[in-house]
Amino acid sequence: MEIKRYKKVLLQTDHFFGLLLLIYLLVPSLLFAQGEKQRKQIEAYQLSSDENVVFDGRVDEPFWRKIEPATNFRQQEPREGAMATERTEVHIAFDEEYMYLGVTLYDSNPSGIKAYQKRRDVRIVSDERFTWIFDTFNDQRSAYFLEINPNGLRTDGLISTGQGNAINFNWDGIWDARTVIGDFGWSAEIKIPFRTFNFDAESDRWGANFMRVIRRKNETALWTGYHRNQGISRPQDAGVLTGLKGASQGLGLEVVPFGIVNASEDQAASPTTTDTNVDGGFDVNYSITPSLKASVTFNTDFAEAEVDQRQVNLTRFPLQFPEQRDFFLEGANIYEFAPTSRINPFFSRRIGLQGGEPIPITYGARILGNAGKYNMALLHVRTGEKGAVQPENFSVARVKRNIGSESTIGMIYTRRSTQDSEELTPALQDRHTFGADLELGTSNFMGSNNLQFQAFFVFHNSPFLLDDGTNLWDRSSRGIRINYPNQPWAGHVSYREFGRAFDPAVGFTPRNAFRRLQPSVEYSPQFPESNIVQQIDWEFRFEHLMDLDFKLLTQEERLTLFDVTFMTGDVLQVDVFRNYERLQEPFDIRRDGSIIIPVDEYVTWGMESAVETAPYRRISAELNVRTGGFWSGTSTEFGGEVTVRPYPGIELAPEYIHTKVDLAEGDFSTDLFRFEANIDLTTSLFITTNVQYDNLSKLLAMNNRLRWIITPGSDVYLVYNHNWIENPMQRFRTTQRAGAIKVSYTHRF
C-alpha cells in the first residue's frame, strides 16, 4: 500500500513539474518583452507662502492660471480614441503638507449633468464622475484610486495590478473635496494630506492618470491609457506627475481613540438576557518611513461594520462573504494571493468571527507598505474567549517583490495557535500555511497587447497532533493561469489542483480534492458608427473538473449568445449552458433533511437572461431569469431589483429573488427579500436602513445605521439591529435587538 501511495505522489509531482517547465519557458518572453513606453507628463506647482487655496470648489485663484493643465482627454467609450466631446482641465499644486487638485469639467449642457448620489464610499454609478489614480511609487503595480461626483461625494480605494486589476474600495483615506455646478459645467477643488499616502520620499515622480465619465452620453474619457485594453485601473498605462519636492508627513504619528456604548436583548434565550456596557479602545498608526506604516489596535470593536448581504445557498459548498471591518481592509491589496485563481490561503474573516458571530479582539498589530522593490504586510491578532471558543493567536506575513516592469513574485505565511489546543478533541497543534505565487505580465505582447501569466503553490501542516494519514501533496494546492485581456479579443486558460485534505487554518476553501481546467474566449466589438448599439459581447466558457484520479465530477459549457450594451447605457444579455454533475454522496439541498438528492450522474441544460437599464435614470431596474434542468428536475429563478432616486441623496432599492425547484425527490420554493434605503442629508451625514428576509431561515432582520463624518477621519456611528423569527402562525416574534453608539477621532502629529 505504501509503495502504491508513493508512486501516486510521484505521478502527481510529475504533473506539477510539468507546470514548472511551462513557467520556465514563459518567463523570458514575459519579462524581456517589456519596454519603456512614452508617457504623458503633468508638472505639479509648488505654492509660495503667500499663495493660498480658498477651498470652495471654484478654480479661480490666480495661481491656478500659472499651471499647465492635463487636458486633451480621449474617449475609451463609446468611440475609442476619439477626442472627448467636452473639455476637461486638471491642475495640480502642493505645499509642504497638502496636495491640491483644481479640476474644471466643461459641459455644453449643464442642465443635463447627473448628480444624485452623496454618500461617502459608494460606487458612483448614476452620476457624472471625475476619477484619478496616483501611483506614488511610480512602479506601475499599485495605486491609490479616488473619485468624486458633482455633489462632492468621495470614493476611494487601492489598486493592485495582475490578473483581475482588483480595486479594494473598502480603503478609506483622509481627504476632502468641494464642488460647484455652474453655467460652464462643474468644477472641483480637492485637498489631500500627504500623510494619507505612502510614497517614495526620494522621488519627485508619481504615476498619475485622470478619467471623466459623462453619464448622459455614456462617455468615458481618459488623459492617457484610453484604449479599451487599458483604462484607469491600470497604473502601467498612466502618465507621470513631476515636480513633487519637499512633501512632508509630519511626525507620521496618528492616534485614533474611540468610545462605544452597547445595549442588547436576547429573547431567544431562556430566560431573556439583557446586557449594557460602555467600552473603548484605540488605534495608533506610525509611519516608520513615508512608505512603511506600523499600526497597533487595542480592544477593537466593529459595531459600525455593514451587515452581510443575505443569500440563499442551494449549492453544496459554503458561501464566501466579503470582509467589512476596516482594520482588516487596509492593506488588503498586498495580502491578495494569486488573484482570480480562487485560492485564499489568508481570509481575514477567519479572525474574530465564528459562525458569523463576533469574537472579541484583544489587540492587533501590523506593518504595511513598501521597502524598495518589496511590498509587505505583517499582521498579528490576539482574540479573546467567548463561550466555548478559546483565545487564539493569528499571524500573517505577506511579501511581494517587483521583477521586470510589470511582474511580481511573492510568498505568504500564516499561523494559527489555539490556547490549550492539545486538550481539545481531537488534539490540535499550531497550524502553519506557506505559499508562493508568481505574476508575470507585459503590455507589449505582439505590439500593444496585454499578456499575463500566474502560478501558485500552497501547502500547510496537519492540524492534529496525531498523524492523520495525509501527506504534503494531500494538504497542498497548485495551479497556473494564462490570461489575454484585450479588445476585441480576450481569453484565458487556467489549471489548478486542490489536495483532498487542503484546508488552510486562516484561509477559505469551499471545495478540495479536485483538478480543474477552465478555458474561455471572448469577442467584444464596438460599433462606433451606430447610434443604437455601443458594443456586443460573445463569450464561450468551459469548465472540466475531475477528482484526483481524473474521473469527471463537473463539466459546464456556457455560451453567451449576446451581451448588448446600447448607446443609452441599457444592457441585454442571454446565456445558454449545459451542466454535468457526478454526485458522490447524498446532498441535503434544504439542509433540514426534507429533500435528499441521491448519488447519481446528472446532465442538465438551461438558459439565463438579464436586462439592466441605465443607472443614471431616476428609476432604474435589473431583471434576471434563470431556468432549466436542476439535479433530478428543474428550477426557475427570478430576480428583480428597482432603484428609485426621487431626490438627490435619497435612494430606495427593493430587491426580490424567487426560486421554484421541482425535483423527483420533492418540490419547494425559496423567497429572498432585501430592501435598502439610503438617505444622505449631506456628503457627511448618512442614514441607511437595511431589511432582509428569506423563507428558509424565516428570519426577518433590520439594520439601521447613521454615520456622521465630523471631519475626515473622525466619525459618529449610531447602529440599531432588530431580528424577528416567523412562527407557524405566520407571525413575527422578536428574537434579538441591539443598539450601539460609537465615536472615533483621528489626531495626527
Side-chain angles (χ1 to χ4, degrees):
M1 291 294 293
E2 287 299 319
I3 293 176
K4 290 182 179 179
R5 183 176 174 185
Y6 180 68
K7 287 182 177 179
K8 191 172 182 180
V9 171
L10 283 179
L11 178 62
Q12 294 173 336
T13 306
D14 285 342
H15 289 294
F16 182 66
F17 280 110
L19 301 183
L20 293 181
L21 177 61
L22 180 57
I23 295 173
Y24 177 79
L25 295 174
L26 281 172
V27 165
S29 61
L30 286 171
L31 283 180
F32 300 113
Q34 303 172 31
E36 179 66 25
K37 297 180 180 179
Q38 187 68 31
R39 303 170 70 188
K40 294 178 73 172
Q41 294 192 10
I42 178 176
E43 185 173 2
Y45 175 79
Q46 187 166 15
L47 297 172
S48 64
S49 58
D50 59 348
E51 291 177 316
N52 297 301
V53 176
V54 179
F55 196 49
D56 59 3
R58 305 179 188 277
V59 189
D60 55 6
E61 289 85 356
F63 69 83
W64 289 123
R65 292 192 291 273
K66 301 179 184 179
I67 305 172
E68 185 69 25
T71 188
N72 295 325
F73 284 46
R74 290 183 177 272
Q75 294 183 44
Q76 184 182 52
E77 307 284 354
R79 296 178 174 85
E80 181 184 13
M83 295 300 298
T85 59
E86 308 287 354
R87 182 174 174 81
T88 305
E89 294 181 348
V90 183
H91 305 78
I92 297 181
F94 71 100
D95 56 27
E96 185 180 12
E97 295 186 39
Y98 295 94
M99 174 181 288
Y100 304 92
L101 279 72
V103 187
T104 306
L105 304 102
Y106 295 97
D107 199 309
S108 56
N109 179 22
S111 63
I113 293 174
K114 303 297 182 182
Y116 295 112
Q117 299 175 270
K118 293 184 179 181
R119 173 166 304 231
R120 176 77 161 96
D121 290 333
V122 300
R123 290 306 314 273
I124 302 174
V125 296
S126 62
D127 298 352
E128 321 284 311
R129 76 178 191 262
F130 172 71
T131 305
W132 69 102
I133 66 169
F134 285 141
D135 173 8
T136 56
F137 293 94
N138 197 26
D139 62 6
Q140 302 179 61
R141 289 173 175 80
S142 60
Y144 293 91
F145 175 101
L146 305 98
E147 65 180 1
I148 59 173
N149 76 347
N151 291 328
L153 179 159
R154 290 163 288 143
T155 294
D156 46 25
L158 299 172
I159 294 174
S160 55
T161 60
Q163 299 198 30
N165 288 324
I167 304 178
N168 171 22
F169 284 103
N170 294 296
W171 174 79
D172 272 349
I174 295 178
W175 57 287
D176 209 350
R178 297 286 186 273
T179 56
V180 170
I181 300 176
D183 56 7
F184 62 93
W186 62 288
S187 64
E189 287 183 319
I190 299 151
K191 180 180 180 181
I192 311 172
F194 282 111
R195 298 175 186 180
T196 296
F197 298 134
N198 288 350
F199 59 90
D200 183 358
E202 302 300 319
S203 174
D204 66 347
R205 295 166 63 88
W206 292 5
N209 202 3
F210 313 102
M211 182 182 79
R212 178 183 182 182
V213 173
I214 306 173
R215 183 58 66 191
R216 69 182 184 279
K217 299 182 180 182
N218 206 27
E219 178 179 318
T220 300
L222 291 100
W223 178 52
T224 185
Y226 53 81
H227 292 294
R228 294 170 66 208
N229 64 347
Q230 298 175 336
I232 196 68
S233 64
R234 286 177 52 88
Q236 55 266 59
D237 297 311
V240 179
L241 171 63
T242 65
L244 294 172
K245 297 178 181 178
S248 171
Q249 290 187 327
L251 293 179
L253 180 63
E254 182 179 272
V255 179
V256 188
F258 70 86
I260 185 167
V261 178
N262 285 295
S264 63
E265 180 184 63
D266 187 353
Q267 296 187 14
S270 182
T272 297
T273 61
T274 60
D275 184 39
T276 302
N277 66 79
V278 179
D279 208 346
F282 62 90
D283 299 343
V284 178
N285 304 310
Y286 177 66
S287 295
I288 302 170
T289 71
S291 60
L292 195 63
K293 180 186 290 185
S295 303
V296 179
T297 183
F298 289 96
N299 203 30
T300 309
D301 189 281
F302 301 106
E304 80 285 0
E306 295 184 17
V307 296
D308 291 324
Q309 189 177 65
R310 183 142 355 141
Q311 300 180 51
V312 172
N313 185 9
L314 297 181
T315 74
R316 290 171 289 158
F317 311 108
L319 301 175
Q320 183 175 5
F321 291 91
E323 180 60 83
Q324 306 278 18
R325 300 166 296 173
D326 288 343
F327 180 78
F328 295 105
L329 290 169
E330 188 168 355
N333 59 317
I334 301 178
Y335 291 114
E336 285 180 347
F337 183 89
T340 70
S341 283
R342 300 182 186 177
I343 172 72
N344 296 282
F346 172 55
F347 180 49
S348 59
R349 284 179 65 110
R350 297 294 294 270
I351 303 174
L353 288 171
Q354 186 92 355
E357 294 297 318
I359 304 298
I361 291 180
T362 307
Y363 65 84
R366 68 181 179 213
I367 295 177
L368 297 172
N370 301 66
K373 292 182 177 293
Y374 293 89
N375 304 303
M376 63 180 66
L378 307 175
L379 173 69
H380 180 78
V381 174
R382 169 77 172 183
T383 59
E385 184 176 0
K386 184 176 182 180
V389 178
Q390 291 282 76
E392 292 188 294
N393 289 294
F394 298 85
S395 300
V396 183
R398 173 69 163 140
V399 179
K400 292 193 290 186
R401 189 189 190 281
N402 300 334
I403 55 177
S405 63
E406 297 184 33
S407 305
T408 61
I409 186 169
M411 299 184 67
I412 193 168
Y413 164 74
T414 72
R415 171 181 175 267
R416 182 172 185 172
S417 173
T418 304
Q419 183 173 297
D420 301 326
S421 57
E422 66 280 357
E423 299 177 7
L424 300 176
T425 304
L428 297 178
Q429 62 182 340
D430 288 359
R431 284 141 287 168
H432 307 275
T433 300
F434 300 86
D437 62 334
L438 177 68
E439 290 272 354
L440 303 178
T442 177
S443 301
N444 303 315
F445 178 70
M446 298 178 61
S448 59
N449 294 310
N450 301 310
L451 182 65
Q452 300 166 335
F453 174 82
Q454 184 181 91
F456 70 86
F457 183 78
V458 181
F459 67 95
H460 60 81
N461 69 332
S462 171
F464 307 112
L465 281 172
L466 299 177
D467 180 22
D468 62 355
T470 62
N471 58 42
L472 177 64
W473 208 251
D474 292 328
R475 300 189 304 270
S476 68
S477 64
R478 50 273 171 193
I480 63 171
R481 192 175 196 273
I482 301 171
N483 193 31
Y484 182 76
N486 295 285
Q487 298 287 351
W489 287 100
H492 95 286
V493 60
S494 65
Y495 177 80
R496 50 191 176 271
E497 301 176 348
F498 281 53
R500 58 176 46 85
F502 182 71
D503 185 18
V506 198
F508 179 82
T509 304
R511 183 174 190 171
N512 55 18
F514 68 84
R515 308 173 189 269
R516 177 157 47 194
L517 176 68
Q518 285 183 303
S520 72
V521 61
E522 182 179 5
Y523 179 56
S524 307
Q526 282 189 324
F527 298 86
E529 304 305 319
S530 173
N531 293 320
I532 300 175
V533 176
Q534 176 182 327
Q535 178 176 303
I536 301 179
D537 293 350
W538 290 278
E539 183 179 15
F540 176 74
R541 301 183 69 87
F542 177 71
E543 178 186 35
H544 188 81
L545 189 146
M546 305 165 286
D547 66 17
L548 295 177
D549 294 320
F550 297 95
K551 294 181 180 178
L552 183 62
L553 294 176
T554 298
Q555 188 179 80
E556 183 180 69
E557 300 93 26
R558 177 175 291 267
L559 175 65
T560 300
L561 296 178
F562 55 83
D563 182 356
V564 184
T565 302
F566 296 94
M567 291 297 292
T568 57
D570 304 314
V571 176
L572 174 63
Q573 178 178 343
V574 176
D575 290 5
V576 294
F577 58 87
R578 173 191 177 274
N579 182 262
Y580 165 87
E581 289 281 354
R582 180 163 63 89
L583 194 60
Q584 296 176 294
E585 57 186 44
F587 171 37
D588 181 2
I589 190 169
R590 294 189 52 164
R591 293 170 173 79
D592 62 1
S594 61
I595 297 179
I596 307 296
I597 310 297
V599 172
D600 204 343
E601 297 182 44
Y602 300 88
V603 178
T604 57
W605 293 79
M607 68 171 295
E608 292 183 13
S609 60
V611 178
E612 181 179 345
T613 65
Y616 61 78
R617 297 187 171 99
R618 286 187 181 272
I619 300 177
S620 60
E622 295 182 32
L623 177 65
N624 301 277
V625 178
R626 182 188 186 278
T627 186
F630 186 66
W631 296 114
S632 61
T634 62
S635 76
T636 299
E637 179 178 288
F638 167 85
E641 181 178 10
V642 177
T643 302
V644 182
R645 304 178 182 89
Y647 302 101
I650 297 179
E651 183 175 279
L652 309 175
E655 180 181 8
Y656 174 66
I657 301 173
H658 174 78
T659 305
K660 181 71 170 65
V661 179
D662 296 312
L663 302 173
E665 298 76 25
D667 305 334
F668 67 97
S669 63
T670 69
D671 296 286
L672 174 61
F673 174 76
R674 295 192 287 250
F675 173 74
E676 185 170 313
N678 294 316
I679 302 174
D680 306 330
L681 304 177
T682 70
T683 56
S684 299
L685 182 59
F686 328 116
I687 301 171
T688 298
T689 293
N690 188 304
V691 179
Q692 303 185 84
Y693 169 80
D694 72 89
N695 69 328
L696 292 186
S697 70
K698 298 189 180 299
L699 183 67
L700 173 65
M702 179 176 65
N703 169 262
N704 300 282
R705 183 171 177 262
L706 179 146
R707 181 185 181 188
W708 175 27
I709 303 174
I710 304 170
T711 60
S714 300
D715 302 87
V716 175
Y717 292 92
L718 277 72
V719 181
Y720 176 71
N721 296 314
H722 199 134
N723 295 335
W724 297 266
I725 191 74
E726 186 180 12
N727 61 30
M729 301 297 294
Q730 302 298 311
R731 295 178 180 177
F732 289 95
R733 177 176 60 85
T734 295
T735 58
Q736 295 171 320
R737 52 185 175 180
I741 301 174
K742 182 175 181 178
V743 180
S744 65
Y745 172 73
T746 299
H747 184 72
R748 287 175 159 177
F749 297 90

